[in-house]
Amino acid sequence: MGACFARFNVALKPNNLHVYNTLTRSKERFEPLNPPHVGMYVCGPTVYGDAHIGHAKSYVSFDVIVRYLRYLGYNVRYVQNITDVGHLTDDADQGEDKVERKAKAERVHPMQIAEKFTRSYFEDMDRLNVLRPDISPRASGHIIEQIELVKRIIAAGHAYETGGNVYFDVASWPKYGKLSGRERQEEMVSGTRVETAADKRAPADFALWKRAEPGHIMQWPSPWGNGYPGWHLECSAMSMKYLGESFDIHGGGMENQFPHHEDEIAQAEAATGKPFVKYWLHNNMVTVGGQKMGKSLGNFITLQQAFEKWDPMVIRLFILQSHYRSPLDFSDEALGATENGFKRLEGAFDVLTQQVQYGPSGPLDPEAAQVFGEAFRRLNEAMDDDFNTPGAVAALFDMANNIYRVRDAGRLTGPTAVGLGATFKLLSNDILGLMFGPDRLGMSPLKAGRSAAVAKHFEASVLFLIDLRNDARKAKNFAQADAIRKRLDEIGIVLEDTPQDTKWRFK
Ligand SMILES: [Zn+2]
C-alpha cells in the first residue's frame, strides 16, 4: 500500500510556515515528508444527524488550512472520511451503533440514514464554501482494508481474538498515550465508565473488530466470524490506503485526541512499525452563550437552523475571526457584529467591481497599491504563524478601509480598482474562502464554473430591468418605474440612482 503521487514540479512560494503540532506540543517549521506533496487526513462526520455549528468550526478551519497550503504551491491530497458504521454510543466498546440506532428509530435501512446525512453534510459545507475533500472514503466501503489491518496487528503481536471480538492489547504497546499524554489504563480504572466487556484481557484494551449480536444489521464476514469494525480502525486503514503508511497532517477536533487519535496511532504504528503522522492539528470547540453545546442542554444549533438566521458567509467570517485552536462562542450579539463587518467587506468589493466599469480613468494609484502590498504581507505573515486567521481577517479589513478611503478621495481609477480587486479577491476568496456579490449565487464549489455563467446572465438581466425602468421614467410612467424598483427590492436587489446612471447592489 503506497501513496501514488503524480510527479510534477510546482514552484513553492517562499514561506515561513509554522504549525502547532499536538504531538510535540510546540510550533514547528512545516516541512512535508515529500514536498511539494502534502498528504492530509481529517476525521469526518458520523452521518446519523444534521451537521451543527461545531462541524462548521472544524471543517471551515481545515478548509482554510488546505486553501493556504495550495496557495503556497503544495500539491495537497485531502482525505476526509465518512463514518457510516462502527461508531458506538459509548466509548468503552459498549452501546449501539449510532447510525443503526437512528435507522431503527425511523424504520429504514442504516444505509438510507448514512446516505441522507452524507448528502446534507456536503450541502451544508457547500453553503459555507468549504471545498470538498479530494477523497471522501466511507467506512462501510473499506471493510476489506480494515480486516487486513486487524490481521497485521494480530500478526505483530499487538491484538488478540476472543469469541469473535478482536481487541488491541494496550499493555503490549508501551508508546500508547504519546499524543494526549493520557493512559487508557488510568482512564478506565479511575473514570466513571460503564462496565467493560467481560472478554477483554484488560479494561484498557479497545475493540478492533466486534462480533455482530443477533439483530445487528451492519455486519460482514471476517476470519473471526460475522461482525463489524471498531470505530477507530477505519481512520488508520483509510488514511494509510490513500496517503501511505507515513503522511504529513492529521486533523480533527480536540475532543478526538483521546481515545480516538491515540488509538489510530497505536493501530497504524503497531501494524507498520513506522511513524504514522508527522503533524497532528486539532481544532477547539464551539460554545453557545459560554456553555458547551449539547443536545441534552437544549442549546444545540444545526447549520440549517443557523442558515435561516445568518448568511453562511457571515458564519464563515465569524469562525475565521477566532483562531482554530481557540474556543468559539456562538451568540446572536457576536454574529450581529460579524454581519456588520461582512457588509463592510462586501461593500468594498462592490466598490471595486463598480469602479472597474464606472470609475475615473487614470493611472494606477501608487499609494493605494503600496497600502495593499503591506496588508498582503501582513496576511501572509499571519497565515504562516499556525494559520492565524484573525490576523488575516484584520489585514482584509485594512484593505477594505483603504478601498473606501481611496474611493472617497476620488483616486480609485479603473486600473487601480482592477489591481486592488485582484489582490482583494485572492486574499478574501482564494485563501479565506469568503464570497461576495454575484459569486454567492450558486454556492456549490462543484457548480463554480456554471455559477460564474449564471452570475453573468443574472447581472445582464438586472441591467435590462434597470433599462426598462429608466425608459418608463423617461416616458413619465412612474407607476411602472416604481413597480420595477419594488419588485427588485422584494428579491433583495437595491437600486441607487446617481446623476450619471443607476447602480444596483444586494441588500
Ligand atoms: Zn478519525
Side-chain angles (χ1 to χ4, degrees):
M1 275 197 289
C4 345
F5 286 117
R7 282 180 70 87
F8 68 93
N9 294 318
V10 183
L12 283 179
K13 289 191 177 68
N15 68 78
N16 187 29
L17 179 60
H18 283 67
V19 301
Y20 182 85
N21 188 356
T22 310
L23 199 57
T24 59
R25 289 164 191 76
S26 61
K27 270 188 204 169
E28 294 175 18
R29 180 85 176 90
F30 182 66
E31 282 162 346
L33 299 168
N34 183 26
H37 304 290
V38 171
M40 173 161 157
Y41 185 92
V42 172
C43 290
T46 301
V47 282
Y48 70 107
D50 288 320
H52 53 72
I53 53 177
H55 292 111
K57 159 106 174 153
S58 186
Y59 300 118
V60 165
S61 298
F62 287 106
D63 180 59
V64 172
I65 289 173
V66 170
R67 285 169 180 272
Y68 190 64
L69 291 172
R70 288 189 176 143
Y71 158 76
L72 291 179
Y74 289 110
N75 176 29
V76 182
R77 182 180 294 172
Y78 180 21
V79 181
Q80 190 194 101
N81 63 307
I82 296 287
T83 297
D84 55 4
V85 66
H87 196 172
L88 303 186
T89 48
D90 188 282
D91 274 347
D93 299 326
Q94 301 290 317
E96 284 181 88
D97 181 300
K98 291 183 177 187
V99 174
E100 193 159 317
R101 184 174 64 162
K102 176 88 173 164
K104 281 178 178 161
E106 298 201 0
R107 300 180 153 272
V108 296
H109 194 279
M111 279 291 119
Q112 284 175 272
I113 294 296
E115 201 58 40
K116 174 182 168 182
F117 290 110
T118 300
R119 290 179 195 173
S120 71
Y121 165 73
F122 281 124
E123 284 161 16
D124 288 346
M125 292 300 136
D126 287 349
R127 294 186 69 185
L128 290 165
N129 200 24
V130 169
L131 300 173
R132 292 198 178 190
D134 298 306
I135 306 175
S136 306
R138 268 88 162 154
S140 65
H142 294 74
I143 300 296
I144 292 169
E145 288 82 352
Q146 295 182 74
I147 290 174
E148 287 305 309
L149 186 58
V150 174
K151 286 196 213 161
R152 285 178 78 183
I153 301 169
I154 293 175
H158 297 293
Y160 58 93
E161 188 261 344
T162 166
N165 292 315
V166 182
Y167 294 106
F168 190 93
D169 181 3
V170 174
S172 77
W173 192 250
K175 283 190 272 181
Y176 191 93
K178 70 175 180 178
L179 179 71
S180 63
R182 290 166 69 175
E183 297 269 338
R184 252 186 174 271
Q185 204 87 33
E186 278 172 20
E187 292 296 322
M188 298 302 160
V189 174
S190 64
T192 52
R193 294 282 179 209
V194 292
E195 84 281 15
T196 40
D199 57 350
K200 284 185 185 178
R201 282 185 198 162
D205 296 349
F206 60 91
L208 300 176
W209 186 262
K210 291 270 290 176
R211 179 184 63 234
E213 301 301 337
H216 198 97
I217 302 167
M218 306 272 275
Q219 54 171 290
W220 291 264
S222 81
W224 318 288
N226 276 14
Y228 56 95
W231 171 43
H232 314 299
L233 188 64
E234 64 175 271
C235 288
S236 301
M238 301 194 298
S239 61
M240 291 198 288
K241 177 180 171 86
Y242 297 112
L243 299 172
E245 292 181 347
S246 297
F247 61 93
D248 300 298
I249 299 175
H250 193 312
M254 271 179 190
E255 72 282 1
N256 280 336
Q257 276 177 29
F258 180 89
H260 182 57
H261 292 159
E262 213 59 91
D263 292 356
E264 279 188 42
I265 297 173
Q267 292 164 160
E269 298 191 352
T272 69
K274 297 176 192 164
F276 178 43
V277 170
K278 189 165 182 191
Y279 303 100
W280 281 89
L281 273 54
H282 289 100
N283 68 274
N284 214 316
M285 64 177 178
V286 169
T287 54
V288 178
Q291 297 258 307
K292 193 173 186 297
M293 189 175 70
K295 272 183 180 151
S296 54
L297 297 171
N299 61 357
F300 191 82
I301 305 171
T302 69
L303 280 171
Q304 284 167 29
Q305 287 166 339
F307 293 157
E308 276 170 26
K309 207 163 177 184
W310 304 105
D311 185 319
M313 284 300 105
V314 170
I315 295 174
R316 185 173 176 108
L317 178 62
F318 179 65
I319 291 167
L320 297 179
Q321 279 174 327
S322 81
H323 192 265
Y324 75 94
R325 287 195 292 114
S326 305
L328 177 68
D329 192 49
F330 201 91
S331 71
D332 282 347
E333 297 75 51
L335 264 293
T338 302
E339 186 173 48
N340 290 333
F342 182 76
K343 282 184 182 155
R344 192 157 172 80
L345 293 178
E346 189 168 53
F349 187 79
D350 285 349
V351 165
L352 289 179
T353 313
Q354 298 199 356
Q355 295 298 109
V356 169
Q357 293 175 32
Y358 308 112
S361 57
L364 180 72
D365 189 277
E367 192 200 314
Q370 199 202 333
V371 173
F372 255 58
E374 174 61 17
F376 197 3
R377 191 190 57 74
R378 282 199 294 119
L379 185 137
N380 269 287
E381 226 172 68
M383 291 299 284
D384 272 355
D385 181 15
D386 191 27
F387 312 102
N388 177 5
T389 56
V393 168
L396 197 62
F397 273 108
D398 285 353
M399 285 189 183
N401 293 339
N402 189 42
I403 291 166
Y404 288 117
R405 200 173 54 79
V406 178
R407 192 261 324 255
D408 293 345
R411 303 203 322 266
L412 192 55
T413 60
T416 304
V418 170
L420 303 195
T423 309
F424 195 68
K425 200 163 189 310
L426 172 73
L427 302 187
S428 60
N429 188 277
D430 295 3
I431 298 178
L432 295 176
L434 296 168
M435 289 200 287
F436 304 120
D439 283 350
R440 293 161 70 208
L441 298 167
M443 301 292 282
S444 164
L446 284 184
K447 295 181 194 149
R450 212 178 117 226
S451 79
V454 169
K456 224 170 111 187
H457 292 310
F458 175 83
E459 169 136 42
S461 307
V462 174
L463 294 177
F464 172 64
L465 288 166
I466 289 173
D467 283 346
L468 282 185
R469 173 171 166 268
N470 287 340
D471 289 346
R473 286 162 85 199
K474 274 186 210 136
K476 304 219 181 303
N477 186 351
F478 296 112
Q480 175 82 25
D482 285 348
I484 293 172
R485 173 196 278 274
K486 191 159 166 286
R487 288 294 293 279
L488 282 171
D489 188 82
E490 280 165 11
I491 58 171
I493 291 162
V494 185
L495 301 186
E496 278 163 11
D497 294 315
T498 71
Q500 298 84 35
D501 59 10
T502 303
K503 298 193 192 315
W504 71 272
R505 62 176 172 80
F506 290 110
K507 250 191 219 177

